Amino acid sequence: METVPAPLRCLGECHAAEKFTDDGVETVTSMEQKKVERSIQEVISVYKQMHSFPQPTLLRDQHYQYLKKGLRHLSDSYECLDASRPWLCYWILHSLELLEEPVPSSIASDVCQFLARCQTPTGGFAGGPGQHAHLAPTYAAVNALCIIGTEEAYSVIDREKLLSFLFSVKQPDGSFVMHVGGEVDVRSAYCAASVASLTNIVTPSLFQDTPMWIVSCQNWEGGLGGVPGLEAHGGYTFCGTAAMVILGKEFMLDLKSLLRWVASRQMRFEGGFQGRCNKLVDGCYSFWQAGLLPLLHRALFKEGDSTLSLEKWMFEQQALQEYILLCCQNPVGGLLDKPGKSRDFYHTCYCLSGLSVAQHFGNMDLHHQLIVGQEENRLVCMLTSRPICHSYHPVYNICPEKVARAIQHFHQLPVPMENRGSPASSDHS
Ligand SMILES: [Zn+2]
């Protein structure tokens, strides 16, 4: 166990030297970058003035109140917001589990019943009741149900129909479309691999040619684009890499160039991550980018790389924690993209997920903590040594005990038969 002593990295004398230099060529991008750096400098200066002994605090109670209100609103009223309600359930439930805040069983049961209404007759889940099945809310709904982790939650999922939905969106080249008649991108492969592996419905042909298709999304930058030929992007890179880990094929990626790309996305001055080259820092990439490092550490370890650290991931864990704690917290609860932006459940979930990754290192039997600020800032560790959970990486982004419990539950059930000529695929073709 280790507590990082003051002073903070962002209060150090050398910190200003990390600011962006435009080499005398001012562009729209460079002006935006400087504007963000000025706003972060301002946050740091104010913090410094107010704290003679700097110990940034995670505003646990405020975040809890914000999340609790969101969850109650979801369960009280089903006609709010947009077509992403299973996502809201997942973001809130995962944030609460990271904060170790239990969900009352009556609310958990309401969420199960609500998600059951989002499940479509052809299998898979929609963004809301009565809408069409889509892989993104399917991923969110399955994750949310696995976090709840009760018999009631597991029994919501119709596995036979889920499998036929997955076949209905599978493409001949190994990729998946997000919904019948929809667009292909690498998120869909991850969503499919995640829900299929958690619920034990992986059949021999379901992911045939998928790893080769995902590999083709890795470009010259080292990261992955949404489809082959597109610019590398943090969200797509996490999805593609995590899908490869779930499918046991991560070795097919160029891991070294991927590592180089993701390590270069951590901002020198801000401490947080950008999603793409030349873009601005954003709190949600604390997970999409930093979450890649445990995946890569494990993959390189499996390849026998003897130079790997036994204490740290290959990014600046302290700097990321400082960015999240100082720049991404709304004082009345909820987390956000960057100073000046408003809070939302998406950023709350992925800032907290990234904070957990930055606090806990693990590999094989090792666990090493690095907590910026007080010990109370510590979030739940998303790593586990249990092989059943694809050990030591946050590949599903739910807590490992819940992954283990879901896998244990669904592995007692037989894998459904492949039924690719089902109405789910022929109805819409
Ligand atoms: Zn964001």
Side-chain angles (χ1 to χ4, degrees):
M1 201 173 288
E2 181 184 322
T3 306
V4 177
L8 300 174
R9 175 188 175 274
C10 66
L11 301 182
E13 279 174 18
C14 308
H15 187 236
E18 304 292 356
K19 280 188 180 164
F20 177 77
T21 49
D22 63 7
D23 298 326
V25 184
E26 200 166 72
T27 63
V28 175
T29 311
S30 72
M31 288 190 295
E32 285 295 316
Q33 173 62 26
K34 287 182 176 184
K35 209 164 94 187
V36 170
E37 289 182 357
R38 277 196 299 276
S39 73
I40 287 172
Q41 182 66 69
E42 177 73 19
V43 169
I44 295 169
S45 306
V46 170
Y47 181 82
K48 199 173 160 184
Q49 279 166 19
M50 291 169 65
H51 299 82
S52 46
F53 186 69
Q55 283 274 66
T57 307
L58 178 67
L59 305 173
R60 280 180 168 276
D61 198 47
Q62 290 88 326
H63 300 323
Y64 172 58
Q65 296 303 333
Y66 171 64
L67 293 161
K68 198 169 75 171
K69 224 157 71 190
L71 195 59
R72 209 172 38 222
H73 184 60
L74 274 176
S75 60
D76 283 353
S77 154
Y78 297 145
E79 43 210 322
C80 60
L81 293 161
D82 52 16
S84 305
R85 280 178 277 166
W87 276 115
L88 295 170
C89 296
Y90 164 63
W91 293 329
I92 295 174
L93 290 171
H94 182 52
S95 301
L96 289 171
E97 67 169 348
L98 284 167
L99 292 165
E100 293 181 88
E101 295 288 356
V103 174
S105 54
S106 63
I107 292 190
S109 179
D110 281 351
V111 173
C112 291
Q113 288 165 34
F114 168 66
L115 291 173
R117 295 178 54 212
C118 295
Q119 193 166 221
T120 71
T122 51
F125 292 79
Q131 301 175 20
H132 288 297
H134 189 289
L135 268 171
T138 297
Y139 164 85
V142 169
N143 264 8
L145 291 165
C146 289
I147 292 171
I148 293 171
T150 56
E151 284 293 327
E152 183 189 13
Y154 296 146
S155 66
V156 167
I157 303 166
D158 185 329
R159 296 163 63 245
E160 282 78 14
K161 284 188 174 167
L162 178 56
L163 181 61
S164 74
F165 169 64
L166 295 183
F167 273 119
S168 75
V169 286
K170 173 87 191 281
Q171 302 301 296
D173 64 356
S175 67
F176 288 79
V177 286
M178 292 302 287
H179 58 98
V180 175
E183 74 283 14
V184 166
D185 73 50
V186 76
R187 285 174 308 159
S188 52
Y190 169 60
C191 293
S194 176
V195 300
S197 59
L198 279 172
T199 61
N200 188 32
I201 58 168
V202 178
T203 64
S205 66
L206 183 57
F207 294 106
Q208 192 168 352
D209 298 326
T210 304
M212 272 311 288
W213 184 82
I214 294 173
V215 166
S216 71
C217 294
Q218 185 171 27
N219 71 10
W220 57 270
E221 295 176 87
L224 279 71
V227 293
L230 284 196
E231 183 185 12
H233 177 288
Y236 293 123
T237 304
F238 181 86
C239 289
T241 308
M244 292 296 267
V245 170
I246 292 171
L247 301 174
K249 303 286 185 197
E250 63 273 31
F251 60 87
M252 289 169 64
L253 292 164
D254 183 340
L255 296 171
K256 289 279 168 69
S257 73
L258 181 49
L259 173 62
R260 184 170 180 274
W261 178 81
V262 64
S264 309
R265 300 283 73 76
Q266 186 168 25
M267 309 301 277
R268 305 178 70 91
F269 182 75
E270 301 90 311
F273 282 79
Q274 61 184 184
R276 287 177 275 164
C277 189
N278 277 328
K279 298 286 279 186
L280 304 173
V281 69
D282 179 344
C284 63
Y285 292 108
S286 305
F287 178 74
W288 299 121
Q289 301 285 28
L292 279 161
L293 276 308
L295 272 59
L296 281 167
H297 213 93
R298 176 73 182 168
L300 292 165
F301 181 82
K302 271 167 80 179
E303 290 193 348
D305 191 325
S306 58
T307 60
L308 289 166
S309 168
L310 299 176
E311 289 185 354
K312 285 172 157 235
W313 305 125
M314 287 175 274
F315 72 98
E316 240 298 346
Q317 291 167 243
Q318 181 176 348
L320 179 60
Q321 293 184 49
E322 290 179 17
Y323 176 67
I324 296 169
L325 293 171
L326 294 178
C327 301
C328 298
Q329 298 194 88
N330 184 314
V332 292
L335 291 100
L336 37 101
D337 164 347
K338 60 173 74 60
K341 297 274 182 170
S342 48
R343 63 182 177 172
D344 58 60
F345 294 118
Y346 166 82
H347 284 92
T348 302
C349 171
Y350 292 107
C351 285
L352 291 176
S353 303
L355 185 59
S356 169
V357 170
Q359 289 177 340
H360 302 278
F361 172 87
N363 199 25
M364 295 308 282
D365 296 324
L366 294 167
H367 178 214
H368 197 85
Q369 277 187 184
L370 192 151
I371 313 286
V372 170
Q374 296 138 342
E375 183 60 21
E376 293 81 68
N377 289 357
R378 186 166 56 83
L379 293 172
V380 163
C381 172
M382 284 192 292
L383 313 166
T384 177
S385 58
R386 277 178 274 180
I388 197 167
C389 300
H390 298 284
S391 56
Y392 279 119
H393 40 64
V395 78
Y396 298 106
N397 202 25
I398 59 183
C399 289
E401 306 78 58
K402 299 299 177 66
V403 174
R405 203 190 293 175
I407 287 178
Q408 207 171 18
H409 174 87
F410 289 113
H411 275 250
Q412 291 165 1
L413 307 171
V415 177
M417 297 283 283
E418 288 188 15
N419 183 16
R420 276 182 281 172
S422 71
S425 50
S426 53
D427 269 355
H428 302 273
S429 57

